[in-house]
Amino acid sequence: MTGTDTELRISKIRDGTVIDHVPAGEALHVLAILGIDGSGGEGVSLGMNVPSETMGHKDIVKVEGREMSQAELDVLSLIAPDATVNIVREYEVAEKTEIEPPEQVAGLLSCPNRHCITNAGEPVETRFDVLDEGVRCAYCETIVREEITDHLAV
Ligand code: CTP
Ligand code: ZN
């Protein structure tokens, strides 16, 4: 199926962010990372399980009037390492970034260990080292392997 067929499913946006090449089934996790639940009023279009020449099937997330922070991109890389983030301005793709896995992610995830210093009510920002098999708290070394988005600190 060609790009044109995809366009028929989800229309172009004027200003905002298109996160393309998201693994099929992960679009709702991408929204969770962005802290979007619909209450903020932004326009959101999702393509889920869209046919893709390179990936078989993929998800696409389009958010109007919103760009992504580096912390959000870092967590995104954990679930969508091959995603492309397109910043759209006046209908044109103004910037296209390939996701790169960071060595650490700061701030967006919370540590599941209740005794961790990051859960003690201190002003300590969470930090996780990125491993092949998941992420590891830089303070207490607890490893989160699966369902990383369940640990979003939002
Ligand atoms: N897009 C959009 N609204 C726009 C411009 C682009 O929703 N005003 C979307 C396109 O539908 C596509 C993505 O942004 O999903 C990237 O657009 P573009 O770079 O034009 O497409 P490709 O060349 O196919 O991208 P890539 O090479 O990254 O696959
Ligand atoms: Zn910890």
Side-chain angles (χ1 to χ4, degrees):
M1 205 173 265
T2 66
T4 312
D5 293 314
T6 310
E7 303 311 328
L8 293 174
R9 296 177 182 228
I10 328 166
S11 52
K12 297 212 166 208
I13 60 171
R14 176 171 179 168
D15 292 295
T17 306
V18 176
I19 304 153
D20 197 358
H21 309 124
V22 173
E26 294 291 342
L28 296 177
H29 286 146
V30 173
L31 289 185
I33 289 167
L34 292 169
I36 292 173
D37 64 5
S39 63
E42 32 319 59
V44 177
S45 328
L46 297 184
M48 295 175 89
N49 301 310
V50 175
S52 155
E53 272 166 35
T54 51
M55 300 174 70
H57 289 86
K58 66 175 181 181
D59 285 1
I60 305 180
V61 178
K62 302 189 182 191
V63 184
E64 290 183 61
R66 167 79 194 268
E67 301 190 2
M68 289 185 80
S69 70
Q70 190 59 49
E72 288 166 341
L73 287 173
D74 286 350
V75 178
L76 178 66
S77 77
L78 302 176
I79 62 156
D82 299 317
T84 312
V85 178
N86 301 274
I87 307 295
V88 176
R89 300 192 185 116
E90 275 299 318
Y91 292 106
E92 299 290 331
V93 175
E95 288 169 37
K96 187 184 285 280
T97 316
E98 303 288 332
I99 293 276
E100 271 183 63
E103 286 175 20
Q104 275 199 341
V105 290
L108 268 189
L109 299 174
S110 60
C111 181
N113 171 11
R114 340 185 252 123
H115 301 297
C116 181
I117 180 75
T118 60
N119 290 321
E122 305 286 336
V124 181
E125 190 178 57
T126 63
R127 275 195 295 129
F128 288 83
D129 297 316
V130 178
L131 317 173
D132 287 340
E133 71 270 29
V135 296
R136 181 180 59 214
C137 178
Y139 294 97
C140 72
E141 302 193 351
T142 296
I143 293 182
V144 179
R145 284 173 214 279
E146 282 156 19
E147 302 296 347
I148 284 166
T149 45
D150 285 353
H151 300 282
L152 284 168
V154 282

